[in-house]
Every structure is written in C-alpha cells, then in structure tokens.
Amino acid sequence: MNSSSTAKTILFWLSIVFLGITLWKLVSSNGDAAPGEELSYSDFMAKLDTDNVNKVNLYLSPNSYEVAGECRRPANRRFHLVVPKEVVPALLGQLREKNVLINVQEIRSGDWTLILLNAAPLILLVGFCLFLMRQMKGNAKRALELRAATARTGIGYDLHRLEEGRPLIVGGIELPFDKGPVGHSDGDVLAHALCDALLGAAGLGDIGTHFPDTDAKWKGANSMIFLEHVKKLLDEKKFAIEHVDAVVITEKPKLGPHFPKMREALAKALSVGVEKIHLKAKTNEAVDAIGRGEAIAAHVVATLTSC
C-alpha cells in the first residue's frame, strides 16, 4: 500500500472514531436520555404546589405532552410524565405562577439522538463497504498497471530456401511435401522465428548467438531442443510466456490442417498451455521466391511478463 492509500485509510478510521465520540457525547450530554423518576399527574401537581419544580421541558405529541423536568429538592433530581393535551394551557399558567423555567419543543431532541444511534451502524457499514470497493478498485488498477509495466514483446523472423528431397519440418511436425528447407539444423522456420521472438523479448540476443551455424553439434538438430533451451533461459530470468502469435508464409502445402499438432509440439517444448500458441498461414500470391515455391518464411510476435 502506497503513502496515499495509507493516508486515506487513517483518515477513514479517524472519521469513524470521531463519529462514535460525537454520538456518545450527544447521549451523555443530553439529560433527556435518562428521564428520571416516572410521576403521576397528581404527584407532579403536588410537587408544583410545594414549589419543588425547578424547570420543565414540554415535548409536543399528537394527543399529549411529554413532560421532563428537574426538582428543586433534592437538587437536579429528574422526573418524567405524560399529560393530556387539553390540560396544558392551564398547566402552563400554573408553572409560570411558580416561576418554573419552561421550554416547549415540537420534537424531542432525544429522538434525534436515538435515530442517529440506530442509523449509525448502517452509515458505518455503507461507508466501510464504499471504502473497501474503492480500495479494491485501486488495487486492481495498480495490479494492471504493474502487469502492463512488466510486459515485454519480441518479434522474430526467419526464411529458408526450399529444395527437393529434403524433409519439410514446420512447428516440430514433418509435413508430407516434396521439398524441404535448407539449413544447418532441421530448418524449422517457425521454431527459429519463435526462438528469436522469445529471446528478443527477454533481451537475450538471438538464435545465432545461442545456436551458431558454425557449431557442428547443431548440424541437423531438432529445433524443439532450441525452444526447450530458450525456455530454460526465460525461467532463469523469471520471465513467463503469455502469448505467441505467428504467421507462416508459404505457397504449398496447406498448413491449416496441421496447426493443432504444431501447437501441441510447440507448447510441449515451451512447457505452456496450447491456448498460448496462435498460428496463421499466408501465401505470397505467387510473388517473389516464396510465391514461386522456392522459400518458406515465418513471422512471430511473443509476449512475456515478469514472474
């Protein structure tokens, strides 16, 4: 969590504490929260006749008045009763004669306190849910930004001449055809372009750096070995393969029917799911060496992320 999120969290909890203290003060400071002794109307009039009423608060209800007051003896002793609405005019006159402090209100303040107390848990719950939603949204956004920041993309390209009498191997699969690539290894144009794309995304050079055609041990080598070695290099650098998109360009043969096996072979060599390998085939519309059936080429784009 960054400093901004920490500050927001602290401010949120301080607001909750402040609200709790405010509600507690409202209850504790409001005398009406504890109405005191419950009196009958006759007992109240007896107190009034003996000048034992210091002050009263009258709260208007639809058919009656709620009376909350304090005695003079003992000092500040509280009492409470309900009187019919029709006796209030005469009662007010008697209170004034006895010099009693009178306060008339339409709504009892204690009711507002009660409403606040009942609503407070809901307010806090809604506020906390909104806070969590905002935090989750912010965390998801930061995760996406971080993921985007660590994504790396590489491109690969390879081309081989085709000659009669050589096996045609593409994507780790030998295809039935009368021509095959000329190369130091097995000439798998798709595997070689894929190696370059992965190495380029990781900043690890190219296929010629790791498997030079001047080294006799790579003569006729299976290109799946190249991919397996590249995968080990990616693992050492903590890179994960997210997606591979490739285009193989050749006039013949038709590659589409062979793509499922190619994807399986490539995914196995790279230890990834088949869904991460996407293959397409194009022709060159009888243009240049590829169009004349003299060559085969491949373009690959690979995306990596930091593990």
Side-chain angles (χ1 to χ4, degrees):
M1 184 180 291
N2 58 31
S3 58
S4 176
S5 298
T6 302
K8 290 178 182 177
T9 303
I10 294 173
L11 182 61
F12 173 78
W13 287 112
L14 285 177
S15 299
I16 290 181
V17 173
F18 176 76
L19 180 58
I21 293 174
T22 301
L23 292 174
W24 175 75
K25 285 291 185 181
L26 281 171
V27 174
S28 61
S29 63
N30 191 334
D32 298 325
E37 181 184 5
E38 192 73 27
L39 296 181
S40 65
Y41 183 70
S42 59
D43 290 337
F44 170 66
M45 295 306 296
K47 286 183 180 290
L48 185 60
D49 290 339
T50 58
D51 293 327
N52 194 19
V53 179
N54 183 32
K55 65 178 181 179
V56 295
N57 291 327
L58 301 178
Y59 301 105
L60 177 62
S61 298
N63 299 312
S64 62
Y65 270 83
E66 188 177 351
V67 181
E70 290 182 359
C71 298
R72 287 195 172 99
R73 300 177 303 277
N76 298 326
R77 182 173 180 177
R78 298 178 184 279
F79 61 84
H80 175 266
L81 72 154
V82 177
V83 299
K85 197 170 185 179
E86 54 269 15
V87 305
V88 170
L91 177 61
L92 288 174
Q94 292 175 290
L95 291 171
R96 292 190 182 97
E97 288 179 3
K98 297 294 184 178
N99 295 318
V100 176
L101 298 175
I102 304 170
N103 180 32
V104 180
Q105 298 181 16
E106 292 186 358
I107 300 176
R108 180 168 177 166
S109 60
D111 294 338
W112 287 107
T113 303
L114 186 61
I115 291 172
L116 283 173
L117 286 174
N118 289 331
L122 180 60
I123 293 172
L124 294 178
L125 178 61
V126 171
F128 187 60
C129 289
L130 291 174
F131 170 77
L132 286 180
M133 289 173 63
R134 186 170 182 178
Q135 286 294 103
M136 292 172 65
K137 184 177 179 180
N139 291 339
K141 183 178 180 180
R142 285 191 292 273
L144 287 174
E145 290 174 348
L146 181 62
R147 188 176 182 85
T150 57
R152 304 173 65 132
T153 302
I155 59 174
Y157 171 75
D158 194 30
L159 179 144
H160 285 282
R161 290 184 295 108
L162 294 175
E163 286 187 359
E164 292 185 1
R166 300 179 66 90
L168 177 61
I169 299 175
V170 181
I173 303 300
E174 184 172 348
L175 307 180
F177 196 55
D178 58 353
K179 293 182 180 180
V182 176
H184 185 65
S185 61
D186 60 5
D188 189 334
V189 67
L190 176 55
H192 294 177
L194 178 52
C195 282
D196 267 349
L198 295 171
L199 291 170
L204 295 174
D206 59 17
I207 191 171
T209 303
H210 298 273
F211 314 104
D213 57 10
T214 56
D215 191 335
K217 73 177 181 179
W218 303 123
K219 180 69 175 177
N222 186 333
S223 294
M224 296 298 102
I225 296 175
F226 298 170
L227 288 174
E228 291 171 0
H229 181 73
V230 169
K231 181 60 168 59
K232 291 179 181 178
L233 295 177
L234 297 180
D235 291 341
E236 292 173 1
K237 294 293 183 178
K238 306 298 182 183
F239 285 118
I241 300 171
E242 292 298 327
H243 188 66
V244 169
D245 190 22
V247 180
V248 183
I249 309 170
T250 184
E251 292 297 308
K252 293 181 180 180
K254 294 288 186 181
L255 300 180
H258 305 284
F259 278 166
K261 289 186 177 180
M262 290 184 192
R263 293 176 66 206
E264 289 178 5
L266 295 172
K268 182 179 179 181
L270 295 173
S271 300
V272 298
V274 176
E275 71 279 358
K276 294 190 175 184
I277 308 295
H278 186 223
L279 304 179
K280 302 187 290 288
K282 298 291 181 181
T283 69
N284 244 22
E285 300 293 337
V287 176
D288 67 29
I290 296 177
R292 294 190 297 270
E294 298 172 0
I296 184 172
H299 295 269
V300 178
V301 176
T303 302
L304 309 180
T305 54
S306 297
C307 300

Coordinates of all heavy atoms in Angstrom, one line a residue, residues 115-205:
I115 N -32.4 8.2 16.7 CA -32.3 8.0 15.3 C -30.9 7.9 14.8 O -30.5 7.0 14.0 CB -33.1 9.1 14.5 CG1 -34.6 9.0 14.8 CG2 -32.8 9.0 13.0 CD1 -35.3 10.2 14.2
L116 N -30.1 8.8 15.3 CA -28.6 8.7 14.9 C -28.0 7.5 15.4 O -27.2 6.8 14.7 CB -27.9 9.9 15.5 CG -28.1 11.3 14.8 CD1 -27.4 12.4 15.6 CD2 -27.5 11.2 13.4
L117 N -28.3 7.0 16.6 CA -27.7 5.8 17.2 C -28.2 4.6 16.4 O -27.4 3.7 16.1 CB -28.2 5.7 18.6 CG -27.5 6.6 19.6 CD1 -28.1 6.4 21.0 CD2 -26.0 6.3 19.7
N118 N -29.5 4.6 16.0 CA -29.9 3.4 15.2 C -29.4 3.4 13.8 O -29.1 2.4 13.2 CB -31.5 3.5 15.1 CG -32.1 3.1 16.5 OD1 -31.6 2.4 17.2 ND2 -33.3 3.7 16.7
A119 N -29.2 4.6 13.2 CA -28.7 4.7 11.8 C -27.2 4.6 11.8 O -26.7 4.3 10.7 CB -29.1 6.1 11.2
A120 N -26.5 4.9 12.9 CA -25.0 4.9 12.8 C -24.4 3.6 12.3 O -23.5 3.6 11.5 CB -24.5 5.2 14.2
P121 N -24.9 2.4 12.8 CA -24.3 1.1 12.3 C -24.4 1.0 10.7 O -23.5 0.6 10.0 CB -25.0 0.0 13.0 CG -25.5 0.7 14.2 CD -25.8 2.1 13.9
L122 N -25.6 1.4 10.2 CA -25.9 1.3 8.8 C -25.0 2.3 8.0 O -24.4 2.0 7.0 CB -27.3 1.6 8.5 CG -27.7 1.5 7.0 CD1 -27.5 0.2 6.4 CD2 -29.2 1.9 6.8
I123 N -24.9 3.5 8.6 CA -24.0 4.5 8.0 C -22.6 4.0 7.9 O -21.9 4.1 6.9 CB -24.1 5.9 8.7 CG1 -25.5 6.4 8.6 CG2 -23.1 6.8 8.2 CD1 -25.7 7.7 9.4
L124 N -22.1 3.5 9.0 CA -20.7 3.0 9.1 C -20.5 1.8 8.2 O -19.5 1.7 7.5 CB -20.4 2.6 10.5 CG -20.3 3.7 11.6 CD1 -20.0 3.1 12.9 CD2 -19.3 4.7 11.2
L125 N -21.5 0.9 8.1 CA -21.4 -0.3 7.2 C -21.3 0.2 5.7 O -20.5 -0.3 5.0 CB -22.6 -1.2 7.4 CG -22.6 -2.5 6.5 CD1 -21.4 -3.3 6.8 CD2 -23.9 -3.3 6.8
V126 N -22.2 1.1 5.3 CA -22.2 1.6 4.0 C -20.9 2.3 3.7 O -20.3 2.1 2.6 CB -23.4 2.5 3.7 CG1 -23.3 3.2 2.4 CG2 -24.7 1.8 3.8
G127 N -20.4 3.1 4.6 CA -19.2 3.8 4.4 C -18.0 2.9 4.3 O -17.1 3.0 3.4
F128 N -18.0 1.8 5.1 CA -16.9 0.9 5.1 C -16.9 0.1 3.8 O -15.9 -0.2 3.2 CB -17.0 -0.1 6.3 CG -15.8 -1.0 6.4 CD1 -14.6 -0.5 6.6 CD2 -16.0 -2.4 6.3 CE1 -13.5 -1.3 6.7 CE2 -14.9 -3.2 6.5 CZ -13.7 -2.7 6.7
C129 N -18.1 -0.3 3.3 CA -18.3 -1.0 2.0 C -17.8 -0.2 0.9 O -17.0 -0.7 0.0 CB -19.7 -1.4 1.8 SG -20.3 -2.8 2.9
L130 N -18.1 1.1 0.9 CA -17.7 2.0 -0.2 C -16.1 2.1 -0.1 O -15.5 2.2 -1.2 CB -18.3 3.4 0.0 CG -19.8 3.4 -0.3 CD1 -20.4 4.8 0.0 CD2 -20.1 3.1 -1.8
F131 N -15.6 2.2 1.1 CA -14.2 2.3 1.3 C -13.5 1.0 0.7 O -12.5 1.1 0.0 CB -13.9 2.5 2.7 CG -12.4 2.4 3.1 CD1 -11.5 3.4 2.8 CD2 -11.9 1.2 3.7 CE1 -10.2 3.3 3.1 CE2 -10.6 1.1 4.0 CZ -9.7 2.1 3.7
L132 N -14.0 -0.1 1.0 CA -13.4 -1.4 0.5 C -13.5 -1.5 -1.0 O -12.5 -1.9 -1.6 CB -14.1 -2.6 1.2 CG -13.8 -2.9 2.6 CD1 -14.6 -4.1 3.1 CD2 -12.3 -3.1 2.8
M133 N -14.6 -1.1 -1.5 CA -14.8 -1.1 -3.0 C -13.8 -0.2 -3.7 O -13.2 -0.6 -4.7 CB -16.2 -0.7 -3.4 CG -17.3 -1.7 -3.0 SD -19.0 -1.1 -3.3 CE -18.9 -0.8 -5.1
R134 N -13.6 1.0 -3.1 CA -12.6 1.9 -3.7 C -11.2 1.4 -3.5 O -10.4 1.5 -4.5 CB -12.7 3.2 -2.9 CG -11.8 4.3 -3.5 CD -12.2 5.7 -3.0 NE -11.4 6.7 -3.6 CZ -11.5 8.0 -3.3 NH1 -12.4 8.4 -2.4 NH2 -10.7 8.9 -3.9
Q135 N -10.9 0.7 -2.4 CA -9.6 0.1 -2.2 C -9.3 -1.0 -3.2 O -8.2 -1.1 -3.8 CB -9.4 -0.4 -0.8 CG -9.2 0.7 0.3 CD -7.9 1.4 0.1 OE1 -7.9 2.6 -0.4 NE2 -6.9 0.9 0.5
M136 N -10.4 -1.9 -3.4 CA -10.2 -3.0 -4.3 C -10.0 -2.5 -5.7 O -9.2 -3.1 -6.5 CB -11.4 -3.9 -4.2 CG -11.5 -4.6 -2.8 SD -13.1 -5.5 -2.7 CE -12.9 -6.8 -4.0
K137 N -10.8 -1.5 -6.1 CA -10.7 -0.9 -7.4 C -9.3 -0.3 -7.6 O -8.7 -0.5 -8.7 CB -11.8 0.1 -7.6 CG -11.8 0.7 -9.0 CD -12.9 1.7 -9.2 CE -12.9 2.3 -10.6 NZ -14.0 3.3 -10.8
G138 N -8.8 0.4 -6.6 CA -7.5 1.0 -6.7 C -6.4 -0.1 -6.8 O -5.4 0.0 -7.6
N139 N -6.5 -1.2 -6.0 CA -5.6 -2.3 -6.0 C -5.6 -3.0 -7.4 O -4.5 -3.4 -7.9 CB -5.8 -3.3 -4.9 CG -5.6 -2.7 -3.5 OD1 -4.8 -1.7 -3.4 ND2 -6.2 -3.2 -2.5
A140 N -6.8 -3.2 -7.9 CA -6.9 -3.9 -9.2 C -6.2 -3.0 -10.3 O -5.5 -3.5 -11.2 CB -8.3 -4.1 -9.6
K141 N -6.5 -1.7 -10.2 CA -5.9 -0.8 -11.2 C -4.4 -0.8 -11.1 O -3.7 -0.8 -12.1 CB -6.4 0.6 -11.0 CG -6.0 1.6 -12.0 CD -6.6 3.0 -11.8 CE -6.1 4.0 -12.8 NZ -6.6 5.3 -12.6
R142 N -3.9 -0.8 -9.9 CA -2.4 -0.8 -9.7 C -1.8 -2.1 -10.2 O -0.7 -2.1 -10.8 CB -2.1 -0.6 -8.2 CG -2.2 0.9 -7.8 CD -1.6 1.1 -6.4 NE -2.4 0.4 -5.4 CZ -3.4 0.9 -4.8 NH1 -3.9 2.1 -5.1 NH2 -4.0 0.2 -3.8
A143 N -2.6 -3.2 -10.0 CA -2.1 -4.5 -10.4 C -2.0 -4.6 -12.0 O -1.0 -5.1 -12.5 CB -3.0 -5.6 -9.9
L144 N -3.0 -4.0 -12.6 CA -3.0 -4.0 -14.1 C -1.9 -3.1 -14.6 O -1.2 -3.4 -15.6 CB -4.3 -3.4 -14.6 CG -5.5 -4.4 -14.5 CD1 -6.8 -3.7 -14.9 CD2 -5.3 -5.6 -15.3
E145 N -1.7 -1.9 -13.9 CA -0.6 -1.0 -14.3 C 0.8 -1.7 -14.1 O 1.7 -1.6 -15.0 CB -0.6 0.2 -13.5 CG -1.8 1.1 -13.9 CD -2.0 2.3 -13.0 OE1 -1.2 2.4 -11.9 OE2 -2.8 3.2 -13.3
L146 N 0.9 -2.4 -13.0 CA 2.2 -3.1 -12.8 C 2.4 -4.2 -13.8 O 3.5 -4.4 -14.3 CB 2.2 -3.7 -11.3 CG 3.4 -4.5 -10.9 CD1 4.6 -3.5 -10.9 CD2 3.2 -5.1 -9.5
R147 N 1.3 -5.0 -14.1 CA 1.4 -6.0 -15.1 C 1.8 -5.5 -16.4 O 2.6 -6.0 -17.1 CB 0.1 -6.8 -15.2 CG 0.2 -8.1 -16.0 CD -1.2 -8.8 -16.0 NE -1.1 -10.0 -16.7 CZ -0.7 -11.2 -16.3 NH1 -0.2 -11.3 -15.0 NH2 -0.6 -12.3 -17.0
A148 N 1.1 -4.4 -16.8 CA 1.4 -3.7 -18.1 C 2.9 -3.3 -18.1 O 3.6 -3.3 -19.2 CB 0.5 -2.6 -18.4
A149 N 3.4 -2.8 -17.0 CA 4.7 -2.2 -16.9 C 5.8 -3.3 -17.1 O 6.9 -3.1 -17.5 CB 4.9 -1.5 -15.6
T150 N 5.4 -4.6 -16.7 CA 6.4 -5.7 -16.7 C 6.2 -6.5 -18.0 O 6.9 -7.5 -18.2 CB 6.2 -6.6 -15.5 OG1 4.9 -7.1 -15.4 CG2 6.5 -5.8 -14.2
A151 N 5.3 -6.2 -18.9 CA 5.1 -7.0 -20.1 C 6.1 -6.6 -21.1 O 6.5 -5.4 -21.2 CB 3.7 -6.7 -20.7
R152 N 6.7 -7.6 -21.8 CA 7.7 -7.3 -22.8 C 7.3 -8.1 -24.1 O 6.8 -9.2 -24.0 CB 9.1 -7.8 -22.3 CG 9.5 -7.1 -21.0 CD 10.7 -7.7 -20.5 NE 11.9 -7.4 -21.3 CZ 13.0 -7.0 -20.9 NH1 13.2 -6.7 -19.6 NH2 14.0 -6.8 -21.7
T153 N 7.6 -7.5 -25.2 CA 7.2 -8.1 -26.5 C 8.5 -8.2 -27.4 O 9.3 -7.3 -27.5 CB 6.2 -7.2 -27.2 OG1 5.0 -7.1 -26.4 CG2 5.8 -7.9 -28.6
G154 N 8.6 -9.3 -28.1 CA 9.7 -9.5 -29.0 C 9.1 -10.0 -30.4 O 8.1 -10.6 -30.4
I155 N 9.9 -9.8 -31.4 CA 9.5 -10.2 -32.8 C 10.6 -11.1 -33.3 O 11.8 -11.0 -33.0 CB 9.2 -9.0 -33.7 CG1 10.5 -8.2 -33.9 CG2 8.1 -8.2 -33.3 CD1 10.4 -7.1 -34.9
G156 N 10.1 -12.1 -34.1 CA 11.1 -13.0 -34.8 C 10.8 -13.2 -36.2 O 9.6 -13.2 -36.6
Y157 N 11.8 -13.4 -37.0 CA 11.6 -13.6 -38.5 C 12.6 -14.6 -38.9 O 13.8 -14.6 -38.5 CB 11.7 -12.4 -39.3 CG 11.7 -12.6 -40.7 CD1 10.6 -12.9 -41.4 CD2 13.0 -12.5 -41.5 CE1 10.6 -13.1 -42.8 CE2 13.0 -12.7 -42.8 CZ 11.8 -13.0 -43.5 OH 11.8 -13.2 -44.9
D158 N 12.2 -15.5 -39.8 CA 13.2 -16.5 -40.4 C 12.7 -16.9 -41.8 O 11.5 -16.9 -42.0 CB 13.3 -17.7 -39.5 CG 14.5 -18.6 -39.9 OD1 15.5 -18.0 -40.3 OD2 14.5 -19.8 -39.7
L159 N 13.6 -17.2 -42.6 CA 13.3 -17.6 -44.0 C 14.3 -18.7 -44.4 O 15.5 -18.6 -44.1 CB 13.4 -16.5 -45.0 CG 13.1 -16.8 -46.4 CD1 12.4 -15.6 -47.1 CD2 14.4 -17.0 -47.2
H160 N 13.8 -19.7 -45.1 CA 14.7 -20.8 -45.6 C 14.4 -21.1 -47.0 O 13.2 -21.1 -47.4 CB 14.6 -22.1 -44.8 CG 15.2 -22.0 -43.4 ND1 16.6 -22.2 -43.3 CD2 14.7 -21.8 -42.2 CE1 16.9 -22.1 -42.0 NE2 15.7 -21.9 -41.3
R161 N 15.4 -21.4 -47.8 CA 15.2 -21.8 -49.2 C 14.6 -23.3 -49.1 O 15.0 -24.0 -48.2 CB 16.5 -21.8 -50.0 CG 17.0 -20.4 -50.3 CD 18.2 -20.5 -51.2 NE 19.4 -21.1 -50.5 CZ 19.8 -22.3 -50.8 NH1 19.3 -23.0 -51.8 NH2 20.9 -22.8 -50.2
L162 N 13.9 -23.6 -50.1 CA 13.3 -25.0 -50.2 C 14.0 -25.7 -51.4 O 14.2 -25.2 -52.5 CB 11.8 -24.9 -50.5 CG 11.0 -24.3 -49.3 CD1 9.5 -24.3 -49.8 CD2 11.1 -25.2 -48.1
E163 N 14.4 -27.0 -51.1 CA 15.0 -27.8 -52.1 C 14.2 -29.2 -52.1 O 13.8 -29.6 -51.1 CB 16.4 -28.0 -51.8 CG 17.3 -26.8 -52.1 CD 18.8 -27.1 -52.0 OE1 19.1 -28.3 -51.7 OE2 19.6 -26.2 -52.3
E164 N 14.2 -29.8 -53.3 CA 13.6 -31.1 -53.4 C 14.4 -32.1 -52.6 O 15.6 -32.1 -52.5 CB 13.5 -31.5 -54.9 CG 12.5 -30.6 -55.6 CD 12.3 -31.1 -57.0 OE1 12.9 -32.1 -57.4 OE2 11.5 -30.5 -57.8
G165 N 13.7 -33.1 -52.1 CA 14.3 -34.3 -51.5 C 14.7 -34.0 -50.0 O 15.2 -34.9 -49.4
R166 N 14.3 -32.9 -49.5 CA 14.6 -32.6 -48.0 C 13.2 -32.6 -47.3 O 12.2 -32.3 -47.8 CB 15.3 -31.3 -47.9 CG 16.6 -31.2 -48.6 CD 17.2 -29.8 -48.4 NE 17.6 -29.5 -47.0 CZ 18.8 -29.8 -46.4 NH1 19.7 -30.4 -47.2 NH2 19.0 -29.6 -45.2
P167 N 13.3 -33.1 -46.0 CA 12.0 -33.1 -45.2 C 11.6 -31.7 -44.9 O 12.4 -30.8 -44.5 CB 12.4 -33.9 -44.0 CG 13.9 -33.7 -43.8 CD 14.4 -33.6 -45.2
L168 N 10.3 -31.5 -45.0 CA 9.7 -30.2 -44.6 C 9.2 -30.3 -43.1 O 8.2 -30.9 -42.9 CB 8.5 -29.8 -45.5 CG 7.8 -28.5 -45.2 CD1 8.8 -27.4 -45.3 CD2 6.6 -28.3 -46.1
I169 N 9.9 -29.6 -42.3 CA 9.5 -29.6 -40.8 C 9.1 -28.2 -40.5 O 9.9 -27.3 -40.6 CB 10.7 -30.1 -39.9 CG1 11.1 -31.5 -40.3 CG2 10.3 -30.0 -38.5 CD1 12.3 -32.1 -39.6
V170 N 7.9 -28.1 -40.0 CA 7.4 -26.8 -39.5 C 6.7 -26.9 -38.2 O 5.8 -27.8 -38.0 CB 6.4 -26.2 -40.6 CG1 5.9 -24.8 -40.1 CG2 7.0 -26.1 -41.9
G171 N 7.1 -26.1 -37.2 CA 6.5 -26.2 -35.9 C 6.7 -27.6 -35.2 O 5.8 -28.0 -34.5
G172 N 7.8 -28.2 -35.5 CA 8.1 -29.5 -34.9 C 7.4 -30.7 -35.5 O 7.6 -31.8 -35.1
I173 N 6.7 -30.5 -36.6 CA 6.0 -31.5 -37.3 C 6.5 -31.7 -38.7 O 6.7 -30.7 -39.5 CB 4.5 -31.2 -37.4 CG1 3.9 -31.0 -35.9 CG2 3.7 -32.3 -38.1 CD1 4.0 -32.2 -35.0
E174 N 6.8 -32.9 -39.2 CA 7.2 -33.2 -40.5 C 5.9 -33.3 -41.4 O 5.0 -34.1 -41.1 CB 8.0 -34.4 -40.6 CG 8.6 -34.7 -42.0 CD 9.6 -35.8 -42.1 OE1 10.0 -36.3 -41.1 OE2 9.9 -36.2 -43.3
L175 N 5.9 -32.5 -42.5 CA 4.8 -32.4 -43.4 C 5.0 -33.2 -44.7 O 6.2 -33.2 -45.2 CB 4.4 -31.0 -43.7 CG 4.2 -30.1 -42.5 CD1 3.9 -28.7 -43.0 CD2 3.1 -30.6 -41.6
P176 N 4.0 -33.8 -45.2 CA 4.2 -34.5 -46.5 C 4.4 -33.5 -47.6 O 3.4 -32.9 -48.0 CB 2.9 -35.4 -46.6 CG 1.9 -34.7 -45.8 CD 2.7 -34.0 -44.7
F177 N 5.6 -33.4 -48.2 CA 5.8 -32.5 -49.3 C 7.1 -32.9 -50.0 O 8.0 -33.5 -49.4 CB 5.9 -31.1 -48.7 CG 5.8 -30.0 -49.8 CD1 4.7 -29.9 -50.6 CD2 6.8 -29.0 -49.9 CE1 4.6 -28.9 -51.6 CE2 6.7 -28.0 -50.9 CZ 5.6 -28.0 -51.7
D178 N 7.3 -32.5 -51.2 CA 8.5 -32.9 -52.0 C 9.7 -32.0 -51.8 O 10.7 -32.3 -52.4 CB 8.1 -33.1 -53.5 CG 7.6 -31.8 -54.1 OD1 7.4 -30.8 -53.3 OD2 7.4 -31.7 -55.3
K179 N 9.5 -31.0 -51.1 CA 10.6 -30.0 -50.8 C 10.7 -29.8 -49.3 O 9.8 -30.0 -48.5 CB 10.3 -28.7 -51.5 CG 10.4 -28.7 -53.0 CD 10.2 -27.3 -53.6 CE 10.2 -27.3 -55.1 NZ 10.0 -26.0 -55.7
G180 N 12.0 -29.4 -48.9 CA 12.2 -29.1 -47.5 C 13.2 -27.9 -47.4 O 13.9 -27.6 -48.4
P181 N 13.4 -27.3 -46.2 CA 14.3 -26.2 -46.0 C 15.7 -26.6 -46.0 O 16.1 -27.7 -45.6 CB 13.8 -25.7 -44.7 CG 13.3 -26.9 -44.0 CD 12.7 -27.7 -45.0
V182 N 16.5 -25.7 -46.5 CA 18.0 -25.8 -46.5 C 18.4 -25.1 -45.2 O 18.2 -23.9 -45.1 CB 18.6 -25.2 -47.7 CG1 20.2 -25.3 -47.6 CG2 18.2 -25.9 -49.0
G183 N 19.1 -25.8 -44.3 CA 19.5 -25.1 -43.1 C 20.6 -26.0 -42.4 O 20.7 -27.1 -42.7
H184 N 21.3 -25.3 -41.4 CA 22.3 -26.1 -40.6 C 21.6 -27.1 -39.7 O 22.1 -28.2 -39.6 CB 23.1 -25.1 -39.8 CG 24.2 -25.7 -39.0 ND1 25.3 -26.3 -39.7 CD2 24.5 -25.9 -37.7 CE1 26.2 -26.8 -38.8 NE2 25.7 -26.5 -37.6
S185 N 20.4 -26.7 -39.1 CA 19.7 -27.7 -38.3 C 18.6 -28.3 -39.1 O 18.9 -28.5 -40.3 CB 19.1 -26.9 -37.1 OG 18.2 -25.9 -37.5
D186 N 17.5 -28.6 -38.5 CA 16.4 -29.2 -39.3 C 15.7 -28.1 -40.2 O 14.7 -28.5 -40.9 CB 15.4 -29.9 -38.4 CG 14.8 -29.0 -37.4 OD1 15.0 -27.8 -37.4 OD2 14.0 -29.6 -36.5
G187 N 16.0 -26.8 -40.0 CA 15.4 -25.8 -40.9 C 14.0 -25.5 -40.5 O 13.2 -25.0 -41.4
D188 N 13.6 -25.7 -39.3 CA 12.2 -25.4 -38.9 C 12.0 -23.9 -38.8 O 12.4 -23.3 -37.8 CB 11.9 -26.1 -37.5 CG 10.4 -26.0 -37.1 OD1 9.7 -25.1 -37.6 OD2 10.0 -26.9 -36.3
V189 N 11.4 -23.3 -39.8 CA 11.4 -21.9 -39.9 C 10.5 -21.3 -38.8 O 10.8 -20.2 -38.3 CB 10.8 -21.5 -41.3 CG1 9.4 -21.9 -41.5 CG2 11.0 -20.0 -41.6
L190 N 9.4 -22.0 -38.4 CA 8.6 -21.5 -37.4 C 9.2 -21.5 -36.0 O 9.2 -20.5 -35.2 CB 7.3 -22.3 -37.3 CG 6.3 -21.9 -36.2 CD1 5.9 -20.5 -36.2 CD2 5.0 -22.8 -36.3
A191 N 9.9 -22.6 -35.7 CA 10.6 -22.7 -34.4 C 11.7 -21.7 -34.3 O 11.9 -21.1 -33.2 CB 11.1 -24.1 -34.2
H192 N 12.4 -21.5 -35.4 CA 13.5 -20.5 -35.4 C 13.0 -19.1 -35.2 O 13.6 -18.3 -34.4 CB 14.4 -20.6 -36.7 CG 15.0 -21.9 -36.8 ND1 15.8 -22.2 -38.0 CD2 15.1 -23.0 -36.0 CE1 16.3 -23.4 -37.8 NE2 15.9 -23.9 -36.7
A193 N 12.0 -18.7 -35.8 CA 11.4 -17.4 -35.7 C 10.9 -17.2 -34.2 O 11.0 -16.1 -33.6 CB 10.3 -17.1 -36.7
L194 N 10.3 -18.3 -33.7 CA 9.8 -18.2 -32.3 C 10.9 -18.1 -31.3 O 10.8 -17.3 -30.3 CB 9.0 -19.5 -32.0 CG 8.4 -19.7 -30.6 CD1 7.6 -18.4 -30.2 CD2 7.5 -20.9 -30.6
C195 N 12.0 -18.7 -31.5 CA 13.2 -18.6 -30.7 C 13.6 -17.1 -30.6 O 13.9 -16.5 -29.6 CB 14.3 -19.5 -31.1 SG 14.2 -21.2 -30.7
D196 N 13.7 -16.5 -31.8 CA 14.2 -15.1 -31.9 C 13.2 -14.2 -31.2 O 13.6 -13.2 -30.5 CB 14.3 -14.7 -33.4 CG 15.8 -14.9 -33.9 OD1 16.6 -15.2 -33.0 OD2 16.0 -14.8 -35.1
A197 N 11.9 -14.4 -31.3 CA 10.9 -13.6 -30.7 C 11.0 -13.7 -29.2 O 11.0 -12.6 -28.5 CB 9.5 -14.0 -31.1
L198 N 11.2 -14.9 -28.6 CA 11.3 -15.0 -27.2 C 12.6 -14.4 -26.7 O 12.6 -13.8 -25.6 CB 11.2 -16.5 -26.8 CG 9.8 -17.2 -27.1 CD1 10.0 -18.7 -27.0 CD2 8.8 -16.6 -26.2
L199 N 13.7 -14.7 -27.4 CA 15.0 -14.2 -26.9 C 15.0 -12.6 -27.0 O 15.5 -12.0 -26.1 CB 16.1 -14.7 -27.8 CG 16.4 -16.2 -27.6 CD1 17.3 -16.7 -28.7 CD2 17.0 -16.5 -26.2
G200 N 14.4 -12.1 -28.0 CA 14.3 -10.7 -28.2 C 13.5 -10.0 -27.1 O 13.9 -9.0 -26.5
A201 N 12.3 -10.6 -26.7 CA 11.5 -10.1 -25.6 C 12.2 -10.1 -24.3 O 12.1 -9.2 -23.5 CB 10.2 -10.8 -25.5
A202 N 13.1 -11.1 -24.1 CA 13.8 -11.2 -22.8 C 15.1 -10.4 -22.9 O 15.8 -10.4 -21.8 CB 14.1 -12.7 -22.5
G203 N 15.5 -9.9 -24.0 CA 16.8 -9.2 -24.1 C 18.0 -10.1 -24.0 O 19.0 -9.8 -23.5
L204 N 17.8 -11.3 -24.6 CA 18.9 -12.4 -24.5 C 19.5 -12.7 -25.8 O 20.0 -13.8 -26.0 CB 18.2 -13.6 -23.9 CG 17.7 -13.5 -22.5 CD1 17.0 -14.8 -22.1 CD2 18.9 -13.2 -21.5
G205 N 19.5 -11.8 -26.8 CA 20.2 -12.0 -28.0 C 19.3 -12.6 -29.1 O 18.1 -12.4 -29.1

